[in-house]
Amino acid sequence: DTGVSQNPRHKITKRGQNVTFRCDPISEHNRLYWYRQTLGQGPEFLTYFQNEAQLEKSRLLSDRFSAERPKGSFSTLEIQRTEQGDSAMYLCASSFGDRVNIQYFGAGTRLSVL
Amino acid sequence: AQSVAQPEDQVNVAEGNPLTVKCTYSVSGNPYLFWYVQYPNRGLQFLLKYITGDNLVKGSYGFEAEFNKSQTSFHLKKPSALVSDSALYFCAVRALPGYSSASKIIFGSGTRLSIRP
């Protein structure tokens, strides 16, 4: 399968714990995006990378959230000191270039904070 | 600011009948417009896009969408619905490069399409 891969698919954690998610984009895609989706809503943009550079961050991305893409390939999204409000589906997408910008999505990581 | 509105939370259609899922947008400048579909436990799948050119764009699975600049709409349509079309559909908009925050896509809240046999 050469699509966008996200791990883990599900994560259950206790409030206050740190969690990290991983996204492996389609191999030739230079852009990588993170979104958050809560029940009954569309995905909300969090941040995106062009190669290893993080070019934009949403105001939704509080100081407890950090994302990296160290070698311009896979990316990680870490949430520190999780809160119940962080419970959501975290989606990763990748695209090639900018002009057409069809974003291809992974299946997501569902986070439940107890 | 960019925004997308999907006024219907749910659309119910009988199999074989035409379907329309509505979308209106607001963006500075000319938009890129997209439709995505989400099946349970699966990621969003790209259906179709409008960049420029013909106002009627065709996409995957027999879907098409009509761009209407004067009404700022981009409704999704299909002439004959299938039960397998039942899913959650998202309209999305992106401003052209050169505008601030131009790389992110703004999604609507989604419309659940239910096709009854």
Side-chain angles (χ1 to χ4, degrees):
Chain A
D1 183 35
T2 56
V4 177
S5 176
Q6 292 188 247
N7 288 288
R9 292 293 307 275
H10 305 275
K11 179 69 177 178
I12 300 174
T13 191
K14 293 182 179 180
R15 187 176 51 189
Q17 298 295 306
N18 298 344
V19 295
T20 300
F21 311 141
R22 176 178 171 126
C23 172
D24 288 90
I26 294 171
S27 59
E28 65 268 25
H29 285 184
N30 58 343
R31 290 191 168 210
L32 186 147
Y33 308 79
W34 285 100
Y35 292 84
R36 181 172 67 188
Q37 186 179 18
T38 53
L39 198 61
Q41 298 297 319
E44 297 173 291
F45 171 82
L46 292 178
T47 189
Y48 95 92
F49 293 84
Q50 179 162 306
N51 300 312
E52 66 276 8
Q54 188 173 17
L55 296 186
E56 188 172 351
K57 293 170 62 174
S58 164
R59 295 175 185 175
L60 294 174
L61 215 64
S62 75
D63 292 345
R64 297 184 296 106
F65 288 70
S66 62
E68 294 182 343
R69 194 183 184 198
K71 296 183 179 179
S73 57
F74 73 91
S75 176
T76 58
L77 178 67
E78 181 182 16
I79 308 174
Q80 296 181 329
R81 305 181 303 282
T82 53
E83 301 173 356
Q84 287 186 327
D86 297 331
S87 296
M89 177 74 84
Y90 290 85
L91 299 171
C92 177
S94 69
S95 70
F96 178 74
D98 181 67
R99 187 170 180 269
V100 176
N101 200 43
I102 297 173
Q103 295 183 16
Y104 296 88
F105 283 79
T109 294
R110 182 170 296 283
L111 174 66
S112 297
V113 181
L114 305 179
Chain B
Q2 301 173 98
S3 66
V4 177
Q6 293 182 242
E8 303 154 316
D9 290 338
Q10 178 140 355
V11 171
N12 300 308
V13 177
E15 187 174 30
N17 283 359
L19 67 88
T20 298
V21 183
K22 296 180 181 177
C23 171
T24 59
Y25 67 91
S26 174
V27 67
S28 299
N30 295 318
Y32 285 1
L33 294 159
F34 305 84
W35 277 100
Y36 282 82
V37 58
Q38 188 174 37
Y39 297 99
N41 300 315
R42 295 176 66 178
L44 278 76
Q45 295 180 30
F46 169 78
L47 275 181
L48 52 79
K49 70 182 188 294
Y50 172 82
I51 306 297
T52 186
D54 290 341
N55 289 341
L56 186 66
V57 294
K58 295 185 182 298
S60 306
Y61 312 122
F63 283 93
E64 57 189 28
E66 186 169 12
F67 171 64
N68 188 317
K69 187 172 183 178
S70 63
Q71 297 185 3
T72 61
S73 68
F74 190 57
H75 301 331
L76 182 69
K77 300 179 180 183
K78 187 172 183 180
S80 179
L82 300 173
V83 172
S84 58
D85 293 330
S86 298
L88 191 55
Y89 289 80
F90 291 97
C91 182
V93 66
R94 175 179 176 257
L96 290 182
Y99 289 87
S100 62
S101 300
S103 291
K104 65 182 179 184
I105 290 179
I106 305 297
F107 286 86
S109 57
T111 298
R112 187 164 297 282
L113 180 62
S114 179
I115 311 299
R116 60 184 183 274

